[in-house]
PDB file of all heavy atoms in Angstrom:
ATOM      1  N   ASP A1495     -10.095 -19.772 -44.788  1.00  0.00           N
ATOM      2  CA  ASP A1495      -9.405 -19.331 -46.027  1.00  0.00           C
ATOM      3  C   ASP A1495      -9.834 -17.893 -46.378  1.00  0.00           C
ATOM      4  O   ASP A1495     -10.979 -17.661 -46.770  1.00  0.00           O
ATOM      5  CB  ASP A1495      -9.751 -20.288 -47.155  1.00  0.00           C
ATOM      6  CG  ASP A1495      -9.068 -19.921 -48.475  1.00  0.00           C
ATOM      7  OD1 ASP A1495      -8.364 -18.875 -48.506  1.00  0.00           O
ATOM      8  OD2 ASP A1495      -9.249 -20.665 -49.440  1.00  0.00           O
ATOM      9  N   PRO A1496      -8.914 -16.915 -46.239  1.00  0.00           N
ATOM     10  CA  PRO A1496      -9.299 -15.522 -46.478  1.00  0.00           C
ATOM     11  C   PRO A1496      -9.772 -15.298 -47.936  1.00  0.00           C
ATOM     12  O   PRO A1496     -10.576 -14.396 -48.158  1.00  0.00           O
ATOM     13  CB  PRO A1496      -8.038 -14.716 -46.197  1.00  0.00           C
ATOM     14  CG  PRO A1496      -6.928 -15.683 -46.011  1.00  0.00           C
ATOM     15  CD  PRO A1496      -7.509 -17.048 -45.799  1.00  0.00           C
ATOM     16  N   ALA A1497      -9.308 -16.135 -48.851  1.00  0.00           N
ATOM     17  CA  ALA A1497      -9.717 -15.935 -50.246  1.00  0.00           C
ATOM     18  C   ALA A1497     -11.209 -16.265 -50.455  1.00  0.00           C
ATOM     19  O   ALA A1497     -11.802 -15.837 -51.429  1.00  0.00           O
ATOM     20  CB  ALA A1497      -8.851 -16.825 -51.138  1.00  0.00           C
ATOM     21  N   LYS A1498     -11.777 -17.063 -49.554  1.00  0.00           N
ATOM     22  CA  LYS A1498     -13.187 -17.429 -49.702  1.00  0.00           C
ATOM     23  C   LYS A1498     -14.144 -16.434 -49.050  1.00  0.00           C
ATOM     24  O   LYS A1498     -15.371 -16.630 -49.058  1.00  0.00           O
ATOM     25  CB  LYS A1498     -13.413 -18.822 -49.095  1.00  0.00           C
ATOM     26  CG  LYS A1498     -12.784 -19.936 -49.907  1.00  0.00           C
ATOM     27  CD  LYS A1498     -13.234 -21.297 -49.429  1.00  0.00           C
ATOM     28  CE  LYS A1498     -12.618 -22.382 -50.268  1.00  0.00           C
ATOM     29  NZ  LYS A1498     -12.604 -23.662 -49.524  1.00  0.00           N
ATOM     30  N   VAL A1499     -13.590 -15.414 -48.409  1.00  0.00           N
ATOM     31  CA  VAL A1499     -14.452 -14.440 -47.710  1.00  0.00           C
ATOM     32  C   VAL A1499     -14.818 -13.350 -48.651  1.00  0.00           C
ATOM     33  O   VAL A1499     -13.948 -12.723 -49.317  1.00  0.00           O
ATOM     34  CB  VAL A1499     -13.696 -13.870 -46.481  1.00  0.00           C
ATOM     35  CG1 VAL A1499     -14.533 -12.858 -45.737  1.00  0.00           C
ATOM     36  CG2 VAL A1499     -13.271 -15.023 -45.543  1.00  0.00           C
ATOM     37  N   ALA A1500     -16.138 -13.095 -48.814  1.00  0.00           N
ATOM     38  CA  ALA A1500     -16.594 -12.193 -49.876  1.00  0.00           C
ATOM     39  C   ALA A1500     -16.217 -10.744 -49.608  1.00  0.00           C
ATOM     40  O   ALA A1500     -15.930  -9.990 -50.518  1.00  0.00           O
ATOM     41  CB  ALA A1500     -18.109 -12.335 -50.054  1.00  0.00           C
ATOM     42  N   VAL A1501     -16.210 -10.346 -48.332  1.00  0.00           N
ATOM     43  CA  VAL A1501     -16.081  -8.923 -47.994  1.00  0.00           C
ATOM     44  C   VAL A1501     -14.911  -8.738 -47.076  1.00  0.00           C
ATOM     45  O   VAL A1501     -14.639  -9.532 -46.155  1.00  0.00           O
ATOM     46  CB  VAL A1501     -17.367  -8.468 -47.248  1.00  0.00           C
ATOM     47  CG1 VAL A1501     -17.301  -7.002 -46.896  1.00  0.00           C
ATOM     48  CG2 VAL A1501     -18.608  -8.762 -48.053  1.00  0.00           C
ATOM     49  N   SER A1502     -14.146  -7.642 -47.282  1.00  0.00           N
ATOM     50  CA  SER A1502     -13.060  -7.293 -46.344  1.00  0.00           C
ATOM     51  C   SER A1502     -13.283  -5.864 -45.902  1.00  0.00           C
ATOM     52  O   SER A1502     -13.611  -5.011 -46.756  1.00  0.00           O
ATOM     53  CB  SER A1502     -11.704  -7.425 -47.037  1.00  0.00           C
ATOM     54  OG  SER A1502     -10.688  -6.965 -46.182  1.00  0.00           O
ATOM     55  N   PRO A1503     -13.091  -5.552 -44.603  1.00  0.00           N
ATOM     56  CA  PRO A1503     -12.755  -6.517 -43.570  1.00  0.00           C
ATOM     57  C   PRO A1503     -13.990  -7.334 -43.159  1.00  0.00           C
ATOM     58  O   PRO A1503     -15.098  -6.918 -43.321  1.00  0.00           O
ATOM     59  CB  PRO A1503     -12.302  -5.608 -42.402  1.00  0.00           C
ATOM     60  CG  PRO A1503     -13.120  -4.344 -42.566  1.00  0.00           C
ATOM     61  CD  PRO A1503     -13.268  -4.166 -44.087  1.00  0.00           C
ATOM     62  N   SER A1504     -13.737  -8.511 -42.583  1.00  0.00           N
ATOM     63  CA  SER A1504     -14.840  -9.339 -42.092  1.00  0.00           C
ATOM     64  C   SER A1504     -14.401 -10.215 -40.920  1.00  0.00           C
ATOM     65  O   SER A1504     -13.304 -10.787 -40.965  1.00  0.00           O
ATOM     66  CB  SER A1504     -15.400 -10.234 -43.176  1.00  0.00           C
ATOM     67  OG  SER A1504     -16.498 -10.969 -42.706  1.00  0.00           O
ATOM     68  N   TRP A1505     -15.245 -10.269 -39.909  1.00  0.00           N
ATOM     69  CA  TRP A1505     -15.075 -11.317 -38.906  1.00  0.00           C
ATOM     70  C   TRP A1505     -15.540 -12.623 -39.570  1.00  0.00           C
ATOM     71  O   TRP A1505     -16.520 -12.621 -40.303  1.00  0.00           O
ATOM     72  CB  TRP A1505     -15.999 -11.073 -37.700  1.00  0.00           C
ATOM     73  CG  TRP A1505     -15.962  -9.705 -37.160  1.00  0.00           C
ATOM     74  CD1 TRP A1505     -16.903  -8.722 -37.309  1.00  0.00           C
ATOM     75  CD2 TRP A1505     -14.916  -9.137 -36.324  1.00  0.00           C
ATOM     76  NE1 TRP A1505     -16.515  -7.592 -36.657  1.00  0.00           N
ATOM     77  CE2 TRP A1505     -15.307  -7.806 -36.041  1.00  0.00           C
ATOM     78  CE3 TRP A1505     -13.704  -9.611 -35.821  1.00  0.00           C
ATOM     79  CZ2 TRP A1505     -14.530  -6.959 -35.276  1.00  0.00           C
ATOM     80  CZ3 TRP A1505     -12.947  -8.784 -35.078  1.00  0.00           C
ATOM     81  CH2 TRP A1505     -13.361  -7.461 -34.783  1.00  0.00           C
ATOM     82  N   VAL A1506     -14.831 -13.697 -39.311  1.00  0.00           N
ATOM     83  CA  VAL A1506     -15.217 -14.971 -39.912  1.00  0.00           C
ATOM     84  C   VAL A1506     -15.298 -15.992 -38.750  1.00  0.00           C
ATOM     85  O   VAL A1506     -14.278 -16.288 -38.120  1.00  0.00           O
ATOM     86  CB  VAL A1506     -14.169 -15.453 -40.942  1.00  0.00           C
ATOM     87  CG1 VAL A1506     -14.656 -16.715 -41.596  1.00  0.00           C
ATOM     88  CG2 VAL A1506     -13.907 -14.358 -41.969  1.00  0.00           C
ATOM     89  N   VAL A1507     -16.494 -16.431 -38.487  1.00  0.00           N
ATOM     90  CA  VAL A1507     -16.706 -17.389 -37.393  1.00  0.00           C
ATOM     91  C   VAL A1507     -16.982 -18.764 -37.998  1.00  0.00           C
ATOM     92  O   VAL A1507     -17.866 -18.918 -38.839  1.00  0.00           O
ATOM     93  CB  VAL A1507     -17.870 -16.961 -36.473  1.00  0.00           C
ATOM     94  CG1 VAL A1507     -18.104 -17.978 -35.366  1.00  0.00           C
ATOM     95  CG2 VAL A1507     -17.606 -15.564 -35.873  1.00  0.00           C
ATOM     96  N   ASP A1508     -16.215 -19.725 -37.538  1.00  0.00           N
ATOM     97  CA  ASP A1508     -16.338 -21.103 -38.064  1.00  0.00           C
ATOM     98  C   ASP A1508     -17.243 -21.934 -37.129  1.00  0.00           C
ATOM     99  O   ASP A1508     -16.879 -22.251 -35.994  1.00  0.00           O
ATOM    100  CB  ASP A1508     -14.906 -21.701 -38.112  1.00  0.00           C
ATOM    101  CG  ASP A1508     -14.866 -23.074 -38.783  1.00  0.00           C
ATOM    102  OD1 ASP A1508     -15.765 -23.904 -38.469  1.00  0.00           O
ATOM    103  OD2 ASP A1508     -13.927 -23.320 -39.522  1.00  0.00           O
ATOM    104  N   LEU A1509     -18.417 -22.248 -37.639  1.00  0.00           N
ATOM    105  CA  LEU A1509     -19.413 -22.951 -36.776  1.00  0.00           C
ATOM    106  C   LEU A1509     -18.950 -24.337 -36.353  1.00  0.00           C
ATOM    107  O   LEU A1509     -19.319 -24.805 -35.286  1.00  0.00           O
ATOM    108  CB  LEU A1509     -20.774 -23.045 -37.504  1.00  0.00           C
ATOM    109  CG  LEU A1509     -21.459 -21.691 -37.758  1.00  0.00           C
ATOM    110  CD1 LEU A1509     -22.739 -21.898 -38.563  1.00  0.00           C
ATOM    111  CD2 LEU A1509     -21.763 -20.948 -36.463  1.00  0.00           C
ATOM    112  N   GLY A1510     -18.139 -24.987 -37.180  1.00  0.00           N
ATOM    113  CA  GLY A1510     -17.598 -26.289 -36.788  1.00  0.00           C
ATOM    114  C   GLY A1510     -16.706 -26.148 -35.566  1.00  0.00           C
ATOM    115  O   GLY A1510     -16.761 -26.989 -34.634  1.00  0.00           O
ATOM    116  N   LEU A1511     -15.879 -25.121 -35.559  1.00  0.00           N
ATOM    117  CA  LEU A1511     -15.003 -24.930 -34.416  1.00  0.00           C
ATOM    118  C   LEU A1511     -15.807 -24.492 -33.166  1.00  0.00           C
ATOM    119  O   LEU A1511     -15.510 -24.928 -32.042  1.00  0.00           O
ATOM    120  CB  LEU A1511     -13.923 -23.867 -34.729  1.00  0.00           C
ATOM    121  CG  LEU A1511     -12.941 -24.241 -35.871  1.00  0.00           C
ATOM    122  CD1 LEU A1511     -11.985 -23.093 -36.170  1.00  0.00           C
ATOM    123  CD2 LEU A1511     -12.149 -25.489 -35.482  1.00  0.00           C
ATOM    124  N   LEU A1512     -16.831 -23.681 -33.401  1.00  0.00           N
ATOM    125  CA  LEU A1512     -17.696 -23.299 -32.289  1.00  0.00           C
ATOM    126  C   LEU A1512     -18.353 -24.559 -31.688  1.00  0.00           C
ATOM    127  O   LEU A1512     -18.431 -24.712 -30.457  1.00  0.00           O
ATOM    128  CB  LEU A1512     -18.754 -22.304 -32.796  1.00  0.00           C
ATOM    129  CG  LEU A1512     -19.705 -21.731 -31.757  1.00  0.00           C
ATOM    130  CD1 LEU A1512     -18.978 -20.912 -30.683  1.00  0.00           C
ATOM    131  CD2 LEU A1512     -20.759 -20.859 -32.432  1.00  0.00           C
ATOM    132  N   GLU A1513     -18.807 -25.426 -32.579  1.00  0.00           N
ATOM    133  CA  GLU A1513     -19.473 -26.644 -32.108  1.00  0.00           C
ATOM    134  C   GLU A1513     -18.492 -27.525 -31.325  1.00  0.00           C
ATOM    135  O   GLU A1513     -18.900 -28.169 -30.331  1.00  0.00           O
ATOM    136  CB  GLU A1513     -20.086 -27.403 -33.277  1.00  0.00           C
ATOM    137  CG  GLU A1513     -20.991 -28.523 -32.841  1.00  0.00           C
ATOM    138  CD  GLU A1513     -21.958 -28.981 -33.925  1.00  0.00           C
ATOM    139  OE1 GLU A1513     -21.643 -28.784 -35.118  1.00  0.00           O
ATOM    140  OE2 GLU A1513     -23.018 -29.568 -33.582  1.00  0.00           O
ATOM    141  N   ASP A1514     -17.232 -27.566 -31.731  1.00  0.00           N
ATOM    142  CA  ASP A1514     -16.225 -28.343 -30.963  1.00  0.00           C
ATOM    143  C   ASP A1514     -16.184 -27.835 -29.521  1.00  0.00           C
ATOM    144  O   ASP A1514     -16.169 -28.629 -28.562  1.00  0.00           O
ATOM    145  CB  ASP A1514     -14.821 -28.190 -31.569  1.00  0.00           C
ATOM    146  CG  ASP A1514     -14.705 -28.873 -32.924  1.00  0.00           C
ATOM    147  OD1 ASP A1514     -15.602 -29.691 -33.284  1.00  0.00           O
ATOM    148  OD2 ASP A1514     -13.712 -28.610 -33.627  1.00  0.00           O
ATOM    149  N   ASN A1515     -16.180 -26.511 -29.322  1.00  0.00           N
ATOM    150  CA  ASN A1515     -16.178 -25.960 -27.963  1.00  0.00           C
ATOM    151  C   ASN A1515     -17.481 -26.318 -27.223  1.00  0.00           C
ATOM    152  O   ASN A1515     -17.449 -26.699 -26.031  1.00  0.00           O
ATOM    153  CB  ASN A1515     -16.039 -24.428 -27.997  1.00  0.00           C
ATOM    154  CG  ASN A1515     -14.634 -23.974 -28.296  1.00  0.00           C
ATOM    155  OD1 ASN A1515     -13.702 -24.787 -28.262  1.00  0.00           O
ATOM    156  ND2 ASN A1515     -14.482 -22.683 -28.561  1.00  0.00           N
ATOM    157  N   LEU A1516     -18.579 -26.168 -27.928  1.00  0.00           N
ATOM    158  CA  LEU A1516     -19.873 -26.408 -27.292  1.00  0.00           C
ATOM    159  C   LEU A1516     -20.009 -27.886 -26.853  1.00  0.00           C
ATOM    160  O   LEU A1516     -20.599 -28.154 -25.800  1.00  0.00           O
ATOM    161  CB  LEU A1516     -21.009 -26.033 -28.272  1.00  0.00           C
ATOM    162  CG  LEU A1516     -21.130 -24.532 -28.590  1.00  0.00           C
ATOM    163  CD1 LEU A1516     -22.049 -24.294 -29.752  1.00  0.00           C
ATOM    164  CD2 LEU A1516     -21.615 -23.747 -27.351  1.00  0.00           C
ATOM    165  N   LYS A1517     -19.437 -28.797 -27.617  1.00  0.00           N
ATOM    166  CA  LYS A1517     -19.509 -30.190 -27.238  1.00  0.00           C
ATOM    167  C   LYS A1517     -18.723 -30.455 -25.935  1.00  0.00           C
ATOM    168  O   LYS A1517     -19.171 -31.228 -25.084  1.00  0.00           O
ATOM    169  CB  LYS A1517     -18.896 -31.064 -28.351  1.00  0.00           C
ATOM    170  CG  LYS A1517     -19.859 -31.279 -29.495  1.00  0.00           C
ATOM    171  CD  LYS A1517     -19.272 -32.162 -30.597  1.00  0.00           C
ATOM    172  CE  LYS A1517     -20.275 -32.344 -31.703  1.00  0.00           C
ATOM    173  NZ  LYS A1517     -19.638 -32.681 -32.967  1.00  0.00           N
ATOM    174  N   ILE A1518     -17.588 -29.785 -25.805  1.00  0.00           N
ATOM    175  CA  ILE A1518     -16.780 -29.928 -24.587  1.00  0.00           C
ATOM    176  C   ILE A1518     -17.601 -29.411 -23.386  1.00  0.00           C
ATOM    177  O   ILE A1518     -17.667 -30.023 -22.329  1.00  0.00           O
ATOM    178  CB  ILE A1518     -15.464 -29.171 -24.709  1.00  0.00           C
ATOM    179  CG1 ILE A1518     -14.556 -29.837 -25.739  1.00  0.00           C
ATOM    180  CG2 ILE A1518     -14.765 -29.042 -23.341  1.00  0.00           C
ATOM    181  CD1 ILE A1518     -13.300 -29.039 -26.095  1.00  0.00           C
TER     182      ILE A1518
END
Side-chain angles (χ1 to χ4, degrees):
D1495 181 357
K1498 289 190 179 158
V1499 180
V1501 182
S1502 175
S1504 183
W1505 311 105
V1506 185
V1507 178
D1508 185 318
L1509 294 177
L1511 296 176
L1512 182 64
E1513 191 161 24
D1514 290 347
N1515 284 349
L1516 293 167
K1517 281 180 180 157
I1518 292 172

